[in-house]
Amino acid sequence: MQDQWQVAGRSFTSRLIVGTGKYKDFEQNAAAVEASGAEIVTVAVRRVNVADPGQPMLTDYIDPKRYTYLPNTAGCFTADEAIRTLRLAREAGGWNLVKLEVLGEARTLYPDMRETLRATEILVKEGFEPMVYCVDDPIAAKQLEEAGAVAIMPLGAPIGSGLGIQNRVTIRLIVEGAKVPVLVDAGVGTASDAAVAMELGCDGVLMNTAIAEAKDPVTMARAMRLAVESGRLAYRAGRMGQRRYADPSSPLAGLI
Amino acid sequence: MEDTASITVNGQHRRVPKGISVAELALELGLEPTKVAVERNLEVVPRSTLPQVKVEDGDDYEIVTFVGGG
């Protein structure tokens, strides 16, 4: 049973997007990506090390022909920085599909929505297809969609916190209101968090730290793959209603 | 020093032979031009034009690549 999702005209089967930061080494990173089943990986854009240009590169281990590289703007605190970074990313990779995040402060890494919205408008004008990290606010999500965001990516909890989805109501409201894909980006700590996101109707989940900082990242990557799949199946199956009290599963008639 | 240009690459000053192209600059730095993106004086230099664009005295370059990130 095919259950693909589309973003900006591209189809994907895996609903799990994984980051490539914080791993012990490239080998572990590549093994975790493989185990996750992800088809899209996020990457950062940084200065090359001119002092040591021969050192191994991410692209040597995670093949950009096999995986869709989604360049991010992590570490950017203004729209201008983020746009400058993505212009270079587009030149480095040749892709218009990018992940926009404009951060508001270092302590919480909460997005600055004023700058995020401004950056989205400019990027769309320049032909980018931005998937946008944002607050879990249905109104902000609408505004991003109107500005041309190709996916809405609300945080479930602060980046790298592993606290799980803090507000299921707002995530559900964003899902219900959006015509573009919605992916929970940030906050997932363990497999059940990813399942919750999918059960709320999200089109996918993006995570990095939950896998990279697990004691066994490759096994956690597999757990996340299964959680995203089972959460998606549960959403499609349509869960039972909730009752305040018990309802027996065995017939009452015919009791001895 | 008339035969060299003084430039900045990723925040560090350097002297390179006058008249070289940006592609030659990348190779001189030990970089594979197809694996990096170059910004020259805040403007992206399209990869296809790296062999044509000449390095000028006073240029400020940012040369970036993809690294692991979330």
Side-chain angles (χ1 to χ4, degrees), chain B:
Chain B
M1 304 297 265
E2 279 176 11
D3 49 350
T4 63
S6 174
I7 61 169
T8 305
V9 178
N10 289 354
Q12 293 186 323
H13 288 289
R14 294 192 162 254
R15 285 196 164 272
V16 295
K18 223 168 211 169
I20 65 167
S21 68
V22 179
E24 287 166 333
L25 168 66
L27 291 171
E28 169 136 343
L29 296 169
L31 303 169
E32 172 57 52
T34 58
K35 288 187 174 176
V36 298
V38 180
E39 183 193 72
R40 174 180 181 247
N41 303 328
L42 299 176
E43 294 280 340
V44 171
V45 184
R47 190 171 281 161
S48 59
T49 68
L50 289 178
Q52 284 93 54
V53 177
K54 296 286 178 213
V55 173
E56 304 274 353
D57 198 55
D59 276 355
D60 188 359
Y61 291 91
E62 288 290 340
I63 305 180
V64 302
T65 191
F66 292 127
V67 302

Side-chain angles (χ1 to χ4, degrees), chain A residues 15-39:
Chain A
R15 292 169 180 271
L16 175 57
I17 299 178
V18 295
T20 54
K22 298 183 176 174
Y23 285 94
K24 185 175 60 129
D25 50 39
F26 285 126
E27 283 85 1
Q28 186 191 60
N29 191 345
V33 172
E34 178 80 41
S36 76
E39 295 166 313

Side-chain angles (χ1 to χ4, degrees), chain A:
Chain A
M1 183 173 54
Q2 282 285 8
D3 177 33
Q4 294 200 315
W5 66 288
Q6 279 83 35
V7 60
R10 298 161 177 81
S11 289
F12 297 98
T13 303
S14 171
R15 292 169 180 271
L16 175 57
I17 299 178
V18 295
T20 54
K22 298 183 176 174
Y23 285 94
K24 185 175 60 129
D25 50 39
F26 285 126
E27 283 85 1
Q28 186 191 60
N29 191 345
V33 172
E34 178 80 41
S36 76
E39 295 166 313
I40 305 176
V41 297
T42 60
V43 295
V45 178
R46 292 291 181 270
R47 285 174 164 173
V48 295
N49 186 350
V50 176
D52 185 12
Q55 62 188 342
M57 293 168 87
L58 182 70
T59 46
D60 299 331
Y61 291 83
I62 297 172
D63 184 359
K65 291 190 191 74
R66 179 173 167 201
Y67 298 98
T68 297
Y69 268 39
L70 186 65
N72 71 21
T73 59
C76 294
F77 286 82
T78 65
D80 292 341
E81 286 168 14
I83 293 162
R84 189 180 169 200
T85 299
L86 290 178
R87 284 177 185 149
L88 278 165
R90 174 157 69 176
E91 194 53 38
W95 309 291
N96 293 329
L97 189 66
V98 294
K99 172 182 164 180
L100 173 68
E101 57 183 293
V102 186
L103 304 170
E105 59 173 11
R107 191 171 62 90
T108 61
L109 296 179
Y110 249 61
D112 178 329
M113 289 311 297
R114 187 170 52 188
E115 288 291 290
T116 300
L117 189 58
R118 193 164 78 80
T120 302
E121 288 166 350
I122 295 169
L123 288 168
V124 169
K125 276 200 195 102
E126 293 189 11
F128 285 94
E129 294 166 319
M131 300 172 70
V132 185
Y133 166 68
C134 59
V135 286
D136 57 339
D137 169 351
I139 307 306
K142 254 294 144 241
Q143 290 167 342
L144 288 175
E145 188 176 336
E146 286 163 8
V150 298
I152 306 296
M153 304 207 292
L155 52 80
I159 292 172
S161 70
L163 289 170
I165 295 173
Q166 294 297 297
N167 196 334
R168 299 178 189 199
V169 176
T170 51
I171 299 292
R172 179 178 56 77
L173 289 173
I174 291 170
V175 169
E176 286 177 4
K179 293 188 188 67
V180 295
V182 176
L183 297 90
V184 162
D185 176 3
V188 166
T190 189
S192 52
D193 299 332
V196 166
M198 297 310 295
E199 287 171 11
L200 289 169
C202 289
D203 296 276
V205 183
L206 194 163
M207 64 180 75
N208 190 149
T209 311
I211 296 174
E213 286 189 0
K215 291 192 176 58
D216 178 349
V218 177
T219 302
M220 184 59 88
R222 180 157 176 265
M224 291 300 184
R225 173 188 193 152
L226 296 171
V228 167
E229 284 177 13
S230 58
R232 174 66 184 171
L233 282 175
Y235 173 72
R236 292 186 73 199
R239 60 152 298 153
M240 63 166 280
Q242 286 166 302
R243 299 185 179 90
R244 289 173 65 92
Y245 301 102
D247 183 56
S249 297
S250 304
L252 293 175
L255 275 169
I256 56 167

